[in-house]
Amino acid sequence: MVDNPLQQAKAETIHKKLSKRKVLYRTFFLFIGAVLMALGIEVFLVPNDIMDGGIVGISIILYNLTGIKLGLFIFLLNIPFFFIGYKQIGKTFAISTLFGITVLSLATNYLHHVAAFTQDMLLATVFGGIVLGAGVGIVIRYGGALDGSEILAILINKKFPFSVGEIIMFFNIFIFGWGGFVLGWDRAMYSILAYVIAFKTIDIVIDGLDESKSAWIISEKYQEIGDAILARLGRGVTYLKGEGGFTGDDKKVIFCIVTRLEEAKLKSIVEELDESAFLAVADINEVRGGRFKKRDIH
């Protein structure tokens, strides 16, 4: 049976509109993320001689040594990694990354003459790290990157037994060490603090405050605990059959998914009903399907 040509054309038009809307949506957030990172760099970090890690950190050092515009270094040093990302990771990622880096470079040049928000080193470090981390997190969440060192770390990770985080930290040890000689060791230490704050902010932006958690509970009062989780948290539970490795006794294992904000309430429920219950909680990167929905706690 052949579809009606008019209906097919209409369906294709709707699909194109949805695709265009998705591209515009992604582009908007890539732009916002890059501008936020530029704000963190130019109105908090650079005026106070504080660095970031990665390619941006190298660019800040070169800017201090040469006086050449920071945005130019950021763009030129990241170009090789754009081509690497295009070949190894994919076209969409590479284009998103190129767009983000271009906006970052232009925004840093534009904001260079904006007065620093604060001259207090600690405030500049904390808020610079938060704003920068929020920008990077948004860009990563929407499919791009703002620093070539991340791309290089991903590729090295495929060939060597080191995590991406370990590889990036290895690079940054040398970058912050170099920065210590150029900007001073107190500035290098503030830079490390800003980097740690930015790193944690990136995690929050990518995963969200309501990041999902998996919980495994072993208790003789499994039915009471399961009913309480269902009634008081509104979360479904699954009962699994287990066997004690030491005693050989049959055990019931409760498995459920909660948000980060519900974790404390789950612990209080388990402790209230069975203080001797075994409870293990772990982070989950993604949850799909089933009846799990993130919600507010009242």
Side-chain angles (χ1 to χ4, degrees), residues 4-139:
N4 186 314
L6 187 60
Q7 290 179 338
Q8 188 173 354
K10 188 176 180 180
E12 288 176 357
T13 302
I14 293 171
H15 178 71
K16 286 178 181 177
K17 285 182 180 178
L18 290 173
S19 297
K20 189 179 290 185
R21 187 180 301 173
K22 190 175 180 180
V23 170
L24 290 173
Y25 187 77
R26 175 185 292 221
T27 302
F28 172 76
F29 280 102
L30 289 172
F31 177 83
I32 293 298
V35 171
L36 278 176
M37 183 174 183
L39 277 169
I41 292 170
E42 286 292 355
V43 302
F44 289 106
L45 302 187
V46 169
N48 293 286
D49 290 332
I50 302 171
M51 300 184 306
D52 183 27
I55 299 300
V56 173
I58 295 173
S59 300
I60 291 173
I61 294 172
L62 293 175
Y63 157 73
N64 279 277
L65 290 173
T66 65
I68 297 173
K69 289 183 177 180
L70 174 61
L72 183 61
F73 281 121
I74 291 173
F75 185 79
L76 292 178
L77 292 178
N78 275 300
I79 284 296
F81 300 103
F82 160 74
F83 289 106
I84 294 172
Y86 183 86
K87 290 181 179 179
Q88 300 292 330
I89 302 176
K91 181 179 178 181
T92 302
F93 172 81
I95 292 173
S96 299
T97 298
L98 180 62
F99 175 75
I101 290 170
T102 302
V103 173
L104 173 63
S105 302
L106 294 173
T108 50
N109 287 340
Y110 180 78
L111 294 168
H112 184 66
H113 301 293
V114 176
F117 280 14
T118 178
Q119 299 296 325
D120 185 285
M121 288 294 296
L122 185 57
L123 287 177
T125 299
V126 172
F127 284 93
I130 291 171
V131 175
L132 186 149
V136 173
I138 290 170
V139 170

Side-chain angles (χ1 to χ4, degrees), residues 263-279:
E263 182 182 352
K265 196 167 183 179
L266 172 69
K267 289 178 179 177
S268 68
I269 290 171
V270 174
E271 187 175 349
E272 176 189 324
L273 295 174
D274 185 0
E275 291 185 354
S276 62
F278 173 85
L279 170 65

